[in-house]
Amino acid sequence: YLRDVADVRDSISEPTDYVARMGRDTRWSACPSVTISVTKVERSNVTAVTRKVRRTIDQLAGNLLPATVHMSVTRDLGERAERMLSEVNWHMLITIAICILLIVFTLGRHAGIITAITLPVTIIIVPAIYNLTGFTLNRIALCAIVFSIALLIDDSIVVIEIIHRHWHGREDKSPLVAAHAVQEVGPPTILATLMVCCALLPSAFVTGMAGQYLRVLPVGACLGMVFSLFVALTITPYLCLRIFPPGTGEKSPAVHAPGNRPGHVMLSYYRRLLGWFMDKDARMLAAYVAVTLLLVVMVTLIQFRIAIVRAMPDDNADEVSIMVDLPPSTQLEDTYPVVAEAAQRLKKIPEVTACNVYVGTSAPVTFQGLTRHYDFRKDPYQAEIQVQLLPNDQRKRRSHEIALDIRTLIQPVLAESAAVFVVSEQPPAIPTLAPLVGEVYGPDDGKRLALAGRLKEIFRDTPGVDDVDWTARPGTERIRYEIDHQKASVRGVVAAQASGTVRTLFSGDSSSWASLPHEREPVPITIRIARQGRASIADLQSLMFTPLTGETPVPATEIGMLKRVEGPYPLLRKDLEPVVMVTGVVNGDGPNYSAADITKVLERESQGRSPLQVIWRDKKADTWSYAVAWAGEWSTQRDLFSDLGVSFLVVLFLIYCVLVAWYRSFLIPVVIMLPIPLIIIGVVPAHVALGKPIDGPGTMGFIALAGIVMRNSILLVDFARSGILAGMSIRESVLSACQIRLRPILLTAFAVILGEVVLYFDPVLRDLGITMPSGAFISTFLTLGIVPLAFYQLTTYLSVRGYPVA
């Protein structure tokens, strides 16, 4: 009988993976666990789904789970989304309140009431636009609304200010007062709004995954600004007519009078300072030279890595993952205690609440895991530690800073087992294979592998590069049993039967099924040697085969030979070319800077040898040459900034053409667009002072600022040209335009500064909270100085030579 030679058991199969949880709720003791992952369908509310799931689980847990089984939530994206959205909503309310208070303190409470009505009316169109265009109302979309508030209020500020200035001193509330004021400021406001939209709209056509994340910003802002222009030219004048009180009966000042309030200290000093520069050409030249030198210095700061440029910032996530790979020969039972010990070390970090350990299987996959194929990690020597952190509103440190401590704590434990590990942080937007990726190409397999090995050594020697790994890591070592057919025939053993027996006894055979009465589905019958009988090579060597002649059993070592075969590394191809990838995590300035340093080392070592091609652009390597192509976050940064740069250059050309057609001049548009590069003078020092890199969202803020500074330039130039047409001298018209338009320009600038600064507290759009306020502050003051001087010199030059100046 079978029972005489084997044990037959009806039980679960041998464990192929281990899952455990340890944390504050388990007093950091490892408890076996089972993870249930729930995902939502498309276009559903993640917060509503997770709330319903948690209610259902709580109801079922009381009936299904024994008292000794406890349940914990390891990841709740709905709660995190709700927390982030509430934070963004709070920032939105703060921004609206700041803009209203700004108008109240500068133009009075009646203007503040008008702003309090028109601003919400304008903002409410943005969510409607997102609904019509297919965008979900997520954190990026709400931050885009906060970003748009300061832009949407600009038109209303200009209209309210001009009506307020015309209304001053009037006893009657004639609609003609508001109509004349809107007529005066309407054309330049329409043109300025179109210029801002033209500057922002091309950003919506950025390709790749970065474009999908950032497209919500220009789409919402541009369409919202068109609606805000409509509100500013229709609803705002009507509200001014109804809410502004009657005047004192004094005569309203002329539009191009020397100043609306001559006694105002700031207006007086500003007018005298401009006049002082206009008195001598040398002073104006000195101002141009000073601004040019500042611009050169700012560009130099970027060149010398004092100001850092990156694609996306680091996120402040609620979890961090650790991918651990022990030597391929490590068994499942040996992997688990090493990983569990490393996880228990993390209890020293106060922000860590729990760790979930997965050995021989993958954790519930994340967006990052889909890109890096973490869901394929199912070998016995592979493990993952999912580290749960306190919510970001309950801790002071960001997840990136905590990840650095995690790496320091687990390094000694995993180094003893020769483990390779990667601390994988959740990306803020765009996941990549690794922050720093070097793709090695070459025609010869051996030389390509040697080049990749040398590149890996350079990675390890480069400061700021951690968790170095490569795709040429050998796989699991194999034991091959090769049967000698001649010896097997001599001893009466059939070679095919012998090999099949070895495979069945050690790997197992589940080709048969049993239909048991109490089971709904057939149960596989697995034939296999007990685990203690196949733990080493000696167990295989001790096998005995019975010959066909029925004589003495034949040892396995007499008819075959055992060989250790090193596991092969994965053979990867990209664009049909064989490639070896070297990866690393950059904790220094950024992947592009580390890649530049490594490139210098490669070029220095390749001198005098066969040339090595270093590829920075997205192109295919030569078939018969050796090359290192940079990928990872650098490819994202390259595509993002190249798309933004090309679109910005195209839109500048289109804006120039529109301005030429509007002003019928080739030189006046140059004066209007002159302040655009001056934005760098404000943006770069702010990032250097705060120690933050300039990233993709900040670049979009730079593009938005280009439209804002052109708006200010258009208002100044348009009023100055109106004064010249009214018969005023060039000098007086320029000074009068600057004095009259100073207040609305400063109001719109401070609306941007105070309204956008709240974005600094958002992890993804933090750079917008730096770029917009700093760039608006400096560029506005430079615009108030450079544009009037340049326009004055230009019109003076044209008038001397008999050309029309307006």
Side-chain angles (χ1 to χ4, degrees):
Y1 291 98
L2 186 60
R3 62 176 175 267
D4 296 332
V5 295
D7 292 332
V8 181
R9 300 189 306 271
D10 183 8
S11 64
I12 61 174
S13 60
E14 293 181 359
T16 58
D17 56 70
Y18 288 117
V19 180
R21 173 181 173 81
M22 59 191 73
R24 296 178 181 177
D25 52 350
T26 66
R27 297 183 180 179
W28 288 99
S29 60
C31 299
S33 63
V34 175
T35 301
I36 300 176
S37 178
V38 181
T39 58
K40 72 179 187 70
V41 298
E42 186 181 2
R43 306 293 297 177
S44 59
N45 190 319
V46 63
T47 303
V49 170
T50 55
R51 284 178 178 175
K52 292 180 181 178
V53 169
R54 296 192 70 162
R55 285 198 300 266
T56 304
I57 291 178
D58 291 338
Q59 293 173 359
L60 295 176
N63 300 326
L64 298 179
L65 297 182
T68 56
V69 178
H70 302 279
M71 184 185 66
S72 300
V73 178
T74 60
R75 179 187 300 156
D76 191 345
L77 296 183
E79 181 183 359
R80 185 167 186 257
E82 183 180 11
R83 186 173 66 250
M84 290 181 176
L85 292 182
S86 62
E87 182 180 353
V88 175
N89 287 332
W90 177 245
H91 292 165
M92 187 186 306
L93 294 177
I94 293 176
T95 303
I96 295 174
I98 288 175
C99 293
I100 294 175
L101 292 176
L102 177 65
I103 301 301
V104 170
F105 287 135
T106 54
L107 299 180
R109 68 179 186 277
H110 298 93
I113 295 173
I114 297 172
T115 305
I117 297 174
T118 57
L119 186 55
V121 171
T122 307
I123 294 174
I124 202 169
I125 193 64
V126 181
I129 291 171
Y130 289 154
N131 186 36
L132 294 175
T133 51
F135 291 107
T136 57
L137 202 61
N138 51 30
R139 181 179 68 171
I140 302 295
L142 288 178
C143 287
I145 297 177
V146 179
F147 165 75
S148 305
I149 289 176
L151 302 179
L152 300 181
I153 198 178
D154 282 358
D155 291 336
S156 295
I157 287 178
V158 172
V159 173
I160 291 174
E161 192 278 336
I162 193 71
I163 295 177
H164 181 273
R165 182 166 56 86
H166 278 261
W167 197 269
H168 180 71
R170 298 274 186 176
E171 288 186 351
D172 59 329
K173 291 187 177 182
S174 173
L176 293 179
V177 177
H180 290 161
V182 173
Q183 184 179 8
E184 177 184 340
V185 79
T189 302
I190 295 174
L191 179 62
T193 303
L194 294 179
M195 293 302 100
V196 178
C197 293
C198 289
L200 273 175
L201 193 58
S203 304
F205 300 97
V206 175
T207 59
M209 197 175 296
Q212 297 181 27
Y213 271 94
L214 300 179
R215 190 167 294 131
V216 64
L217 290 173
V219 170
C222 291
L223 296 180
M225 287 195 66
V226 173
F227 183 73
S228 72
L229 179 64
F230 171 78
V231 171
L233 298 181
T234 56
I235 299 178
T236 302
Y238 175 78
L239 293 177
C240 291
L241 183 65
R242 293 299 181 186
I243 296 177
F244 277 170
T248 59
E250 298 176 0
K251 185 179 179 181
S252 177
V255 174
H256 292 283
N260 189 23
R261 297 172 64 186
H264 199 289
V265 177
M266 182 175 63
L267 292 176
S268 177
Y269 275 112
Y270 175 53
R271 182 184 178 94
R272 282 189 290 173
L273 183 62
L274 275 181
W276 182 79
F277 274 101
M278 291 178 181
D279 289 340
K280 292 186 179 180
D281 293 339
R283 296 173 182 171
M284 290 186 284
L285 179 61
Y288 299 148
V289 171
V291 172
T292 304
L293 288 178
L294 283 176
L295 186 61
V296 172
V297 170
M298 298 303 110
V299 176
T300 306
L301 292 179
I302 299 177
Q303 182 68 25
F304 286 95
R305 303 187 185 181
I306 300 176
I308 306 301
V309 178
R310 291 186 62 180
M312 295 297 290
D314 296 318
D315 197 5
N316 191 14
D318 292 342
E319 64 179 79
V320 177
S321 298
I322 307 171
M323 305 298 160
V324 183
D325 286 18
L326 273 73
S329 59
T330 308
Q331 297 297 319
L332 185 70
E333 291 75 13
D334 298 328
T335 304
Y336 175 71
V338 174
V339 178
E341 182 182 356
Q344 287 179 340
R345 289 286 186 95
L346 301 182
K347 65 183 179 181
K348 299 179 181 179
I349 301 177
E351 293 89 351
V352 175
T353 60
C355 292
N356 304 291
V357 177
Y358 301 85
V359 181
T361 185
S362 61
V365 68
T366 61
F367 192 21
Q368 177 95 309
L370 285 175
T371 304
R372 300 185 179 183
H373 306 296
Y374 287 158
D375 50 329
F376 294 153
R377 296 172 51 85
K378 300 183 183 298
D379 290 323
Y381 63 90
Q382 295 178 326
E384 178 176 348
I385 305 175
Q386 185 192 65
V387 184
Q388 291 181 238
L389 307 177
L390 288 171
N392 52 14
D393 57 348
Q394 298 180 19
R395 50 183 164 88
K396 297 181 179 179
R397 294 196 301 172
R398 297 169 60 86
S399 59
H400 178 67
E401 301 172 359
I402 300 172
L404 297 178
D405 288 350
I406 290 175
R407 183 178 288 106
T408 304
L409 284 174
I410 66 175
Q411 174 72 37
V413 178
L414 299 180
E416 295 178 358
S417 303
V420 178
F421 70 94
V422 175
V423 179
S424 176
E425 303 177 47
Q426 296 299 322
I430 309 164
T432 57
L433 181 62
L436 183 63
V437 179
E439 301 174 349
V440 181
Y441 298 91
D444 184 76
D445 293 343
K447 293 182 179 179
R448 181 176 62 250
L449 191 61
L451 177 59
R454 177 56 187 149
L455 181 62
K456 185 175 69 169
E457 294 177 1
I458 299 175
F459 269 46
R460 289 174 175 169
D461 296 336
T462 302
V465 179
D466 299 316
D467 303 347
V468 178
D469 197 3
W470 64 338
T471 58
R473 184 156 23 105
T476 306
E477 183 184 53
R478 300 178 181 179
I479 299 175
R480 179 180 297 173
Y481 178 59
E482 296 182 351
I483 300 176
D484 191 322
H485 287 261
Q486 184 175 2
K487 292 182 179 179
S489 300
V490 171
R491 301 301 300 270
V493 177
V494 180
Q497 292 180 352
S499 62
T501 301
V502 172
R503 184 182 307 109
T504 298
L505 295 180
F506 281 83
S507 297
D509 182 8
S510 301
S511 58
S512 301
W513 298 78
S515 298
L516 302 180
H518 301 292
E519 297 289 342
R520 294 186 177 182
E521 297 179 355
V523 178
I525 302 174
T526 302
I527 303 172
R528 201 175 196 179
I529 293 181
R531 194 174 190 87
Q532 61 271 18
R534 50 183 170 84
S536 64
I537 297 179
D539 297 326
L540 179 57
Q541 293 173 338
S542 64
L543 282 180
M544 305 289 285
F545 298 106
T546 302
L548 296 176
T549 58
E551 298 177 355
T552 306
V554 179
T557 54
E558 292 190 8
I559 64 171
M561 182 174 54
L562 293 174
K563 289 184 178 179
R564 288 182 177 271
V565 180
E566 188 181 51
Y569 65 87
L571 301 177
L572 303 182
R573 287 181 179 269
K574 183 177 180 179
D575 297 332
L576 303 180
E577 295 293 333
V579 61
V580 177
M581 297 184 182
V582 182
T583 61
V585 176
V586 179
N587 296 313
D589 294 337
N592 52 325
Y593 298 102
S594 298
D597 295 337
I598 295 172
T599 299
K600 294 178 182 178
V601 177
L602 291 174
E603 292 176 347
R604 184 169 59 251
E605 291 184 355
S606 63
Q607 292 180 355
R609 304 178 185 176
S610 58
L612 177 65
Q613 186 181 7
V614 179
I615 301 175
W616 290 89
R617 300 180 299 276
D618 187 14
K619 73 171 187 176
K620 188 176 180 180
D622 296 336
T623 306
W624 300 106
S625 64
Y626 293 92
V628 174
W630 293 113
E633 285 189 11
W634 159 248
S635 60
T636 302
Q637 178 174 332
R638 175 195 63 210
D639 297 340
L640 175 61
F641 284 99
S642 61
D643 289 347
L644 287 176
V646 171
S647 62
F648 190 52
L649 292 177
V650 171
V651 78
L652 286 181
F653 175 74
L654 295 178
I655 288 175
Y656 177 77
C657 294
V658 172
L659 292 176
V660 168
W662 183 277
Y663 290 108
R664 298 181 182 180
S665 170
F666 291 102
L667 297 178
I668 291 179
V670 176
V671 175
I672 292 176
M673 301 173 68
L674 199 60
I676 293 178
L678 306 183
I679 301 172
I680 302 177
I681 299 177
V683 172
V684 174
H687 284 81
V688 173
L690 295 174
K692 304 297 180 182
I694 304 172
D695 53 34
T699 306
M700 297 193 67
F702 181 91
I703 296 175
L705 285 173
I708 294 174
V709 297
M710 280 194 297
R711 172 203 294 271
N712 298 335
S713 299
I714 289 173
L715 292 177
L716 289 175
V717 170
D718 203 82
F719 268 73
R721 293 176 75 247
S722 300
I724 295 174
L725 290 175
M728 300 173 61
S729 65
I730 295 176
R731 175 189 172 92
E732 186 60 29
S733 63
V734 171
L735 293 177
S736 178
C738 292
Q739 190 169 359
I740 293 174
R741 302 314 305 158
L742 177 63
R743 184 168 64 175
I745 289 177
L746 291 181
L747 282 178
T748 56
F750 279 104
V752 172
I753 295 171
L754 299 177
E756 304 291 355
V757 74
V758 297
L759 290 176
Y760 180 79
F761 302 99
D762 185 85
V764 177
L765 300 181
R766 168 172 288 186
D767 197 53
L768 271 176
I770 302 175
T771 300
M772 296 291 288
S774 61
F777 180 78
I778 299 298
S779 61
T780 298
F781 284 99
L782 292 178
T783 301
L784 291 173
I786 296 299
V787 171
L789 296 180
F791 181 76
Y792 170 72
Q793 282 193 308
L794 175 63
T795 51
T796 303
Y797 174 82
L798 294 177
S799 63
V800 170
R801 283 158 178 76
Y803 295 104
V805 296

